[in-house]
Amino acid sequence: MSSEADYQLKINELKNLFFQNASLNCSAAEMMKIEEAYELAYEAHASQKRQTGEPYIIHPISVARIVSEELCLGAHPIMAALLHDVVEDTSFTLDDIRIRFGEDVAFLVQVVTKEKKRQYEISQQQDNFKKMLDSFHYDIRALLIKLADRLHNMRTLDSMRADKQMKIACETDYFYAPLANRLGLYEVKSELENLSLRYRSPREYARIEKKIRSYLSISAANIDSFISPIQHILEKNGIKATVKPKVRSVYALWRKMQLSKMTFKQLEHLYIVNIVFERDPEHFISEKNQALAIYSFVTDLYKERPSSLVNYIDSPKENGYQGLHCQVMCDNGSWVEIHISSDRMARNAMLGCIVERSAGLDQWVSKFKAILKDLAETGREGGFLESIVSTLYNDDIVVFTPRGKNILLPKGSSAIDFAYEIHTRIGNTAKAARINGKLSPMKSVLRRGDRVEILTDSTIMPTKEWLGCIKSYKAKKCVASALRKINGEKTAIPYTMCRHCQPLPGDEVVGFKQADGEIMVHKRNCIRAISRSAQEGESIVSVSLPVCEMNKYLSQIQITALDRVGLLQELLDVISMRLKLGIVDLRTNMEDEIVNCNVRFRVHSADELLTIMTDLEKIEGVEEVWRGEIENAYK
């Protein structure tokens, strides 16, 4: 255990390093005010400790360092970072800060200070989110300070109780990481996502991390031999560029596995090879032409995957990201993703909105303001935070009208979303869509670059099923409004017990206390649990599902294998005879020589299920065994 002397030594080291780095970008006069802000923070937090037992002042110093060194903000945000908890946790007031440091610093501190109320409009968490978001269209720096605060809290989450870790991790995954992505802060977004998964599901995180380490040890030589010819050909042609491989993060691979229903073994593009070139203004060559020249050299060396080229230089993402992406085949037959960008583009990808406010970001700010205003007027029906997240923090796609106008929609949007984005009347009377000239149902999911035409019919009306096929806030609001008019009453969205979650004893689980006192249990990676934790963290309770010989739970596994004589019989023998499991349902299908088999049976725990899966993997010809998803698992 550290002594007070040890802590003081640590504080002095942190403080000195902080002042030294801040002075590189701040004037002498600004540094005097920053030091004054530090002294006030030190005095205000003198008696306070963090959960780790450390003096509390270590936290504001660390947040100020992130603001200064990682986000590259100026003197006022640095001072506000030092003072961000003073009003909330000590006897000092906003007036004290305003008098000593001015209106601007006081405003920034006020935005990041949580208000304590007797009664909250929605919930304490969501009211705090709303306050922060309301300030956003006045000053983006407030959000950046809050992101820095959250980043340091996530970096030091070890000392918190498991239920607090769950609450903070889910808030981060659901709200702060997507917000960082929208602001173009890729590195911040990636770190927040990884830390969120690490604390939300530590065993799952450790499992994937172990697989990544194993993959790296096997593939290191291959990736080096892949990169070397690229470096050589660029140097030969006088192109100054760095070529660096980067393995996708644990969270990125986990998310891809969740969305694609693939196992780690089936994943492609574990590596991204970043090629960052120096701009060549002397010869008046555009960044796009430089990127295309590099793309040409790379595809001369390696076979390009058809239709893999994506041009984010001419059509940047809404957060301002630019680059040229393609996929090429390396010598071992796997596809490698290549990202080509200039040094300017790479810097923008790191610092996002801090570097420049792109036209896309300004468009997003305008949309953001309009939705906040509309939510305030309508009472935030359907969920305040879901409305914000679904419209503003998803990955985006660009689709086009028949006349070539680009329409920005959340990834996963349907033709219904498109119709309402054009006009409410178009959406309410939409009958079908022509997607790239092909007649398609309105529920069809759109892809980047689709050209969409909506066919209308005045006799058509929205249906309840549309609610499950839309992503954008505008479409959700309009469909709900239309259904209320049709039904003559407010459309209620009843709470439904998650049917794809199916926690077993031994799983990483979390509980939520309902209004009627019932505790609802979810697996920690359940999307509904993440959403609810981010908004109603106060309802989280620590739960444990004990293994009981009397209790069995319906589970499903999916098996992929190469067909052979006697394969199905051996699978049945292992399940029924050796493992003594009663099969509830068995379904198989075969494509060419590949067998896919879904088996349902009842088990006592997740560990028992893992043992079963391990035994089945040992059968000759079995390629993959994974836990499937079923509805109504509790019977």
Side-chain angles (χ1 to χ4, degrees):
M1 184 178 292
S2 300
S3 66
E4 289 301 320
D6 292 332
Y7 282 138
Q8 192 57 53
L9 182 63
K10 181 177 180 179
I11 291 170
N12 289 336
E13 288 176 350
L14 284 173
K15 178 189 71 172
N16 293 337
L17 186 57
F18 162 56
F19 287 158
Q20 178 183 334
N21 291 332
S23 66
L24 298 176
N25 299 305
C26 296
S27 67
E30 288 173 331
M31 284 306 301
M32 288 180 64
K33 297 301 291 184
I34 290 172
E35 291 175 19
E36 185 181 344
Y38 167 78
E39 293 300 332
L40 175 58
Y42 186 86
E43 177 188 351
H45 297 300
S47 62
Q48 296 175 342
K49 304 284 186 183
R50 300 199 81 204
Q51 291 283 341
T52 58
E54 295 178 326
Y56 194 85
I57 188 63
I58 289 175
H59 172 63
I61 296 174
S62 300
V63 174
R65 286 194 65 191
I66 294 172
V67 168
S68 171
E69 299 164 27
E70 298 182 46
L71 299 182
C72 304
L73 295 179
H76 284 189
I78 293 172
M79 286 185 272
L82 286 168
L83 301 167
H84 76 275
D85 279 334
V86 164
V87 174
E88 184 178 335
D89 296 336
T90 77
S91 60
F92 286 92
T93 67
L94 274 173
D95 284 338
D96 295 327
I97 293 175
R98 188 175 291 108
I99 292 168
R100 294 179 64 170
F101 303 103
E103 194 66 45
D104 189 45
V105 174
F107 163 75
L108 293 173
V109 173
Q110 181 182 18
V111 171
V112 297
T113 298
K114 295 177 183 176
E115 290 186 12
K116 297 176 182 178
K117 303 178 181 178
R118 291 185 177 181
Q119 185 173 355
Y120 294 93
E121 295 179 51
I122 320 171
S123 71
Q124 182 177 357
Q125 281 172 292
Q126 293 191 70
D127 276 23
N128 288 330
F129 290 147
K130 181 183 181 300
K131 176 191 173 185
M132 182 172 53
L133 293 172
D134 281 340
S135 72
F136 166 61
H137 53 270
Y138 298 112
D139 199 323
I140 203 170
R141 297 173 303 165
L143 281 185
L144 297 175
I145 295 169
K146 192 62 183 176
L147 281 172
D149 179 34
R150 178 52 55 121
L151 184 56
H152 184 251
N153 282 333
M154 290 300 296
R155 288 173 176 174
T156 56
L157 203 56
D158 280 323
S159 60
M160 303 291 279
R161 300 195 317 263
D163 58 323
K164 291 290 186 182
Q165 288 180 343
M166 180 69 181
K167 171 184 176 293
I168 295 171
C170 287
E171 278 183 354
T172 300
D173 192 29
Y174 192 72
F175 182 80
Y176 288 101
L179 178 60
N181 179 62
R182 176 61 63 184
L183 297 177
L185 303 170
Y186 178 79
E187 296 296 332
V188 174
K189 184 263 311 190
S190 183
E191 185 175 355
L192 288 175
E193 287 175 338
N194 273 323
L195 289 169
S196 172
L197 181 61
R198 175 185 165 193
Y199 287 107
R200 189 177 72 244
S201 301
R203 285 185 299 186
E204 181 77 357
Y205 184 93
R207 184 180 71 84
I208 298 174
E209 191 175 41
K210 181 179 179 182
K211 287 181 178 292
I212 292 174
R213 285 198 300 268
S214 175
Y215 174 81
L216 288 176
S217 65
I218 296 170
S219 63
N222 288 336
I223 199 67
D224 286 344
S225 63
F226 173 82
I227 286 173
S228 182
I230 298 175
Q231 291 174 322
H232 177 73
I233 198 169
L234 295 182
E235 290 171 3
K236 181 180 177 182
N237 286 274
I239 297 174
K240 296 179 180 178
T242 58
V243 185
K244 291 185 178 179
K246 182 177 181 180
V247 178
R248 291 188 187 273
S249 68
V250 173
Y251 181 93
L253 294 176
W254 170 82
R255 186 169 183 265
K256 191 170 184 179
M257 290 163 66
Q258 300 298 307
L259 293 175
S260 65
K261 308 299 181 188
M262 297 170 70
T263 63
F264 185 91
K265 189 176 181 180
Q266 295 170 318
L267 292 178
E268 288 188 312
H269 318 312
L270 269 68
Y271 273 112
I272 295 173
V273 174
N274 289 304
I275 303 177
V276 180
F277 61 87
E278 294 183 20
R279 286 166 292 171
D280 188 9
E282 292 183 6
H283 296 87
F284 303 101
I285 302 174
S286 70
E287 291 173 280
K288 175 183 174 181
N289 284 338
Q290 286 181 271
L292 286 171
I294 294 172
Y295 160 78
S296 179
F297 288 130
V298 171
T299 51
D300 284 344
L301 291 171
Y302 299 107
K303 186 177 183 63
E304 180 186 7
R305 189 170 195 166
S307 304
S308 69
L309 179 64
V310 181
N311 178 7
Y312 290 117
I313 296 178
D314 288 335
S315 300
K317 292 185 178 182
E318 195 175 11
N319 62 15
Y321 173 83
Q322 290 182 289
L324 204 64
H325 293 189
C326 67
Q327 296 168 22
V328 297
M329 183 178 287
C330 64
D331 293 338
N332 65 4
S334 62
W335 297 107
V336 176
E337 190 161 325
I338 307 289
H339 291 182
I340 305 169
S341 59
S342 68
D343 46 10
R344 178 193 65 83
M345 295 173 191
R347 176 172 168 77
N348 286 8
M350 182 180 298
L351 296 177
C353 62
I354 302 167
V355 177
E356 59 182 33
R357 287 286 292 271
S358 66
L361 185 61
D362 284 334
Q363 181 184 358
W364 174 64
V365 172
S366 298
K367 182 188 288 187
F368 195 103
K369 289 190 210 177
I371 291 178
L372 284 175
K373 180 180 178 182
D374 184 65
L375 287 168
E377 292 173 351
T378 60
R380 307 172 192 91
E381 294 169 2
F384 164 69
L385 199 54
E386 287 96 338
S387 300
I388 294 295
V389 169
S390 65
T391 300
L392 300 177
Y393 301 149
N394 277 285
D395 292 334
D396 300 311
I397 58 169
V398 177
V399 293
F400 299 92
T401 68
R403 295 185 178 182
K405 180 183 177 182
N406 59 309
I407 303 294
L408 196 69
L409 292 170
K411 186 177 180 180
S413 290
S414 66
I416 303 170
D417 291 284
F418 178 90
Y420 279 108
E421 194 68 23
I422 300 299
H423 196 280
T424 302
R425 179 181 53 80
I426 301 292
N428 284 341
T429 58
K431 184 176 184 178
R434 290 192 189 278
I435 303 175
N436 302 321
K438 180 182 179 182
L439 190 64
S440 306
M442 288 302 298
K443 297 176 183 177
S444 301
V445 176
L446 303 178
R447 300 181 181 277
R448 181 182 175 90
D450 282 345
R451 180 172 51 84
V452 186
E453 178 186 0
I454 302 298
L455 309 180
T456 61
D457 184 334
S458 59
T459 65
I460 295 293
M461 293 182 292
T463 67
K464 189 176 181 180
E465 286 69 32
W466 281 18
L467 290 171
C469 307
I470 50 182
K471 291 289 185 181
S472 67
Y473 166 73
K474 184 176 181 181
K476 289 179 180 179
K477 177 196 169 189
C478 291
V479 171
S481 176
L483 290 175
R484 284 197 298 274
K485 291 178 182 177
I486 294 168
N487 298 333
E489 59 183 8
K490 184 175 179 178
T491 302
I493 304 175
Y495 178 84
T496 303
M497 182 176 176
C498 178
R499 291 190 175 91
H500 71 267
C501 178
Q502 309 148 29
L504 296 173
D507 279 329
E508 296 177 322
V509 296
V510 63
F512 297 91
K513 192 170 184 179
Q514 306 290 90
D516 59 3
E518 177 188 358
I519 295 176
M520 189 72 69
V521 181
H522 296 260
K523 289 201 310 195
R524 287 187 167 217
N525 277 332
C526 172
I527 186 62
R528 290 168 176 80
I530 295 171
S531 170
R532 200 160 171 195
S533 296
Q535 301 174 69
E536 302 171 33
E538 63 274 8
S539 69
I540 295 176
V541 292
S542 295
V543 295
S544 175
L545 293 179
V547 178
C548 176
E549 284 298 313
M550 299 297 294
N551 293 334
K552 284 190 174 183
Y553 302 85
L554 188 63
S555 297
Q556 176 171 298
I557 58 171
Q558 294 173 256
I559 303 165
T560 300
L562 289 173
D563 191 31
R564 62 174 174 82
V565 175
L567 172 66
L568 183 58
Q569 183 62 50
E570 189 170 347
L571 287 172
L572 294 174
D573 285 345
V574 170
I575 295 171
S576 298
M577 305 301 293
R578 193 195 321 165
L579 299 175
K580 307 298 182 184
L581 295 170
I583 297 176
V584 176
D585 187 61
L586 172 66
R587 300 183 186 186
T588 63
N589 64 73
M590 188 167 75
E591 185 174 353
D592 295 331
E593 297 299 312
I594 298 174
V595 177
N596 292 296
C597 183
N598 293 329
V599 190
R600 292 187 187 183
F601 43 74
R602 298 184 187 275
V603 295
H604 295 95
S605 67
D607 289 340
E608 184 179 28
L609 183 61
L610 181 61
T611 300
I612 295 165
M613 293 166 64
T614 302
D615 284 354
L616 291 171
E617 284 178 335
K618 296 176 183 176
I619 295 176
E620 180 187 348
V622 171
E623 182 73 12
E624 299 282 354
V625 181
W626 68 95
R627 186 169 169 179
E629 296 178 352
I630 55 176
E631 292 190 350
N632 299 318
Y634 291 93
K635 293 183 179 178

